[in-house]
Amino acid sequence: MGITNDELKRRLHIGKVDPDELLELLSHLVGDCQSLDERRLVFPSPRSGPARIILGFNAGGRVTDATIGEALTEEGLAEIEAQVRRQLLAPPQPRVVRKILYSTQPVRGCWRFKNTLVLRSLPEGNPEVPWLSDTHPLIFECVYPGVGDLDSQLNFSRGERFAGAWMSVLALVAAHLVLPEPGPVRMMWATPMMGRSAHASEWVRVGYEPNVWDEQGTLDEIAVTDEHSGIARCESPLHLPTHLAPCLQAFDALGDTDRRSLLHAAHWIRHAAQAGQSASAAYTAVVQSVEVLVKSHGGQSSSKAFKDFIDHYAPATDEAMAKSHRDLYRIRSLISHGERLFVSDRDVLGMVPNPQRWHEELLLAHATAVCRTAIINWLLAAGAQAQAAD
């Protein structure tokens, strides 16, 4: 009797392992895949040979089913199952991923959250950023559950995923922290090797690599204070908000659904910062960051649900602020539906005097502050609820 579809699903441990990691492992073991339709992937792709495994997906893009292909053998499945057990089901081993994060202020000292992550300044001897308007690199270290094989591709992708999640939360809560911008257009520090030992630093379009990774440098802690509540650049060293550790604690306590929603919100906040050339796009992204957390109840309209969410998690302190709160969703809708475009997006050269430009800059700053505050307060409340449930 041959392999059944139910047996294949069971031996792939679908529903027990991370579906993205399963796809990555199958791509490594079986070869490249190809989409048959919006709900099915075949391994390997038809151009590489007959099918061995066909995976089925639900509407949310998660692997839910498996079908045997004509070329799948018992020996081949046994090898795949052994790798699934060894890499995806084995007890994890703590490993550390290191990344470069950026700050709008110079970084001095270090800061630690439990035994999970560390922020620290670059060791002495590394180049200083030459212009105040540039961002300042700092070292980010994050512990993640790795696999035994140090060189496993899974270790790399899992480390990237864990680091990305924690860095997104850091940049959401601490407004002075900035994630590396995507693409090759950003100018950064790099230190190419010169000969066998000497280093030279250049301002180039690549990621920053400090001269020394292992040296801890100063043990003085990065200041934790509410002194710098905005995001403007200044010459004083980086200060982290007092609520940073509670926010990270809350994020650590969230369930999968709430954690995914929070990361979606953080994505839109980050996208707004990276969409700086279009104030209209930035405004839309900022409001969208809250919309991913809003849930309507009992036939409630989206605009009413959004207003109730803002009123609950970022309440206005006076009537003028209340009116600005009410305008958040309305202005976003006008932009999204093509009825409005901010002046700065219409005047691409920025040369036409217009009082509305200044007003719209205030609108964007207000929207960013309110939405960021609402998300952080939602995070703290959701984290407290999750911790109480435990």
Side-chain angles (χ1 to χ4, degrees):
M1 184 175 180
I3 305 167
T4 66
N5 291 337
D6 287 342
E7 180 185 3
L8 174 61
K9 181 177 178 179
R10 176 179 59 81
R11 293 174 67 176
L12 290 178
H13 297 274
I14 292 176
K16 295 182 179 180
V17 300
D18 184 286
D20 292 332
E21 292 185 348
L22 176 62
L23 293 172
E24 182 180 350
L25 184 62
L26 287 177
S27 296
H28 176 71
L29 296 175
V30 181
D32 58 341
C33 59
Q34 182 173 317
S35 174
L36 297 179
D37 50 47
E38 62 179 351
R39 294 290 182 88
R40 293 184 302 161
L41 276 181
V42 58
F43 290 85
S45 66
R47 64 178 177 272
S48 299
R52 296 173 65 183
I53 295 174
I54 301 171
L55 295 181
F57 294 72
N58 63 14
R62 310 287 282 183
V63 178
T64 57
D65 209 352
T67 302
I68 57 173
E70 59 182 285
L72 183 64
T73 64
E74 172 59 39
E75 294 77 10
L77 178 56
E79 178 186 358
I80 294 172
E81 182 182 16
Q83 289 296 326
V84 169
R85 290 182 178 276
R86 189 171 75 88
Q87 297 201 50
L88 305 187
L89 293 174
Q93 299 184 22
R95 300 205 179 278
V96 175
V97 60
R98 282 171 166 172
K99 307 287 287 184
I100 289 294
L101 199 57
Y102 292 87
S103 167
T104 58
Q105 298 173 271
V107 181
R108 303 287 184 267
C110 63
W111 185 85
R112 178 186 300 273
F113 173 66
K114 301 195 300 185
N115 289 322
T116 303
L117 61 88
V118 172
L119 300 176
R120 59 186 175 93
S121 55
L122 270 63
E124 292 184 9
N126 281 275
E128 293 289 338
V129 172
W131 303 289
L132 182 61
S133 60
D134 293 320
T135 50
H136 304 263
L138 65 148
I139 296 176
F140 164 90
E141 297 176 334
C142 172
V143 175
Y144 69 95
V147 298
D149 184 0
L150 183 62
D151 296 326
S152 170
Q153 176 65 26
L154 182 61
N155 269 331
F156 173 79
S157 58
R158 190 177 290 182
E160 290 290 307
R161 188 164 61 252
F162 271 75
W166 283 111
M167 288 196 300
S168 292
V169 179
L170 284 169
L172 168 69
V173 178
H176 289 292
L177 295 180
V178 181
L179 296 185
E181 295 181 10
V185 297
R186 192 179 187 283
M187 302 294 282
M188 301 181 187
W189 279 109
T191 55
M193 291 295 296
M194 301 291 291
R196 296 193 174 200
S197 58
H199 294 273
S201 298
E202 300 175 2
W203 194 247
V204 294
R205 295 173 182 262
V206 293
Y208 184 94
E209 290 292 337
N211 292 342
V212 182
W213 275 105
D214 297 328
E215 181 182 334
Q216 290 298 318
T218 176
L219 296 180
D220 295 335
E221 293 187 354
I222 294 174
V224 178
T225 177
D226 286 327
E227 175 185 348
H228 299 300
S229 57
I231 59 173
R233 302 174 190 273
C234 59
E235 297 183 25
S236 62
L238 170 67
H239 286 190
L240 297 173
T242 54
H243 55 267
L244 178 57
C247 284
L248 295 179
Q249 184 72 44
F251 176 72
D252 204 22
L254 293 182
D256 289 342
T257 299
D258 282 344
R259 179 176 287 214
R260 185 162 53 249
S261 296
L262 189 280
L263 291 176
H264 288 176
H267 164 82
W268 288 112
I269 287 288
R270 182 172 71 251
H271 180 71
Q274 294 171 345
Q277 291 185 342
S278 171
S280 305
Y283 191 97
T284 302
V286 164
V287 176
Q288 179 70 22
S289 69
V290 167
E291 288 188 274
V292 301
L293 302 177
V294 175
K295 296 178 176 58
S296 301
H297 302 283
Q300 186 182 37
S301 67
S302 299
S303 58
K304 180 65 165 56
F306 180 90
K307 179 182 179 301
D308 289 349
F309 186 96
I310 292 294
D311 288 344
H312 181 74
Y313 290 110
T317 56
D318 54 43
E319 180 53 37
M321 184 181 292
K323 181 183 183 304
S324 297
H325 283 22
R326 292 192 295 270
D327 285 342
L328 285 172
Y329 193 88
R330 180 183 64 83
I331 295 173
R332 195 280 297 165
S333 297
L334 290 174
I335 296 173
S336 298
H337 298 153
E339 299 177 45
R340 178 169 181 171
L341 191 66
F342 278 9
V343 170
S344 58
D345 292 330
R346 303 199 304 266
D347 176 21
V348 293
L349 297 180
M351 299 175 63
V352 179
N354 192 319
Q356 190 176 356
R357 178 196 301 274
W358 175 80
H359 176 68
E360 289 173 343
E361 289 176 357
L362 294 181
L363 287 178
L364 178 56
H366 171 79
T368 302
V370 170
C371 291
R372 188 188 294 269
T373 298
I375 295 169
I376 289 173
N377 286 334
W378 175 90
L379 169 60
L380 291 171
Q385 184 176 4
Q387 289 171 337
D390 291 340

